[in-house]
Amino acid sequence: MGLGSKAKALQTVADRAEQLYAQLMDVRERLARIEDDIDDSSDRVVRIENELEEQRVILDALAEDAGLDIDRRIAEASITDAEGSEGDDDGGDDTGDDDATVTETESDDTDTAGESPDSDATMDEPTDATTGDE
């Protein structure tokens, strides 16, 4: 093998090393952008959680002024959603948002006497009316 073929092989290795280095720098840059995006998203989540807590306090005060039993209404919405999901045999992803909205609206018009609110439901822990016990 001559000197020319060794130089060509060495040049090929050097070219490949430059390509790999450029790819590595690109990956590092993209990783830095992803880290920045994660930090921004985390800050947004904290801000949204704070706003949600403020809104919850306001809604609690308004509900108390209106004489609404929030715990009972949350429990009713959860029960209605759970009953609706028991009949779903199609295996689809039914979030039940429409049913929960109708149930909450209907419960404003009808008031069942003698029912006690669910003692486990608290306002400190949010209850998602769209997910039932499965």
Side-chain angles (χ1 to χ4, degrees):
M1 210 189 280
L3 188 58
S5 62
K6 294 281 185 184
K8 184 177 180 181
L10 187 56
Q11 185 61 42
T12 304
V13 170
D15 290 344
R16 185 66 181 142
E18 286 180 20
Q19 290 173 351
L20 289 174
Y21 182 77
Q23 288 176 346
L24 179 62
M25 291 298 109
D26 183 50
V27 169
R28 289 181 69 191
E29 183 180 306
R30 289 176 22 200
L31 181 60
R33 284 194 311 256
I34 289 171
E35 288 174 343
D36 289 343
D37 289 346
I38 289 171
D39 290 341
D40 292 344
S41 296
S42 178
D43 292 343
R44 259 186 250 126
V45 167
V46 168
R47 189 176 65 246
I48 289 170
E49 286 175 342
N50 291 337
E51 290 174 4
L52 180 62
E53 184 61 32
E54 291 171 2
Q55 291 173 1
R56 180 174 287 132
V57 168
I58 292 169
L59 287 174
D60 286 346
L62 289 173
E64 186 177 322
D65 287 346
L68 299 175
D69 186 356
I70 295 173
D71 293 334
R72 181 178 60 82
R73 293 184 187 265
I74 289 173
E76 286 174 356
S78 297
I79 290 169
T80 302
D81 187 54
E83 288 173 350
S85 65
E86 287 175 2
D88 292 341
D89 292 332
D90 62 358
D93 185 21
D94 185 11
T95 59
D97 290 339
D98 295 334
D99 294 337
T101 303
V102 171
T103 302
E104 291 171 11
T105 305
E106 289 173 355
S107 65
D108 287 340
D109 298 332
T110 59
D111 190 22
T112 53
E115 290 187 9
S116 63
D118 185 6
S119 61
D120 292 337
T122 64
M123 290 313 294
D124 293 336
E125 298 179 22
T127 303
D128 187 0
T130 61
T131 57
D133 295 331
E134 296 178 12

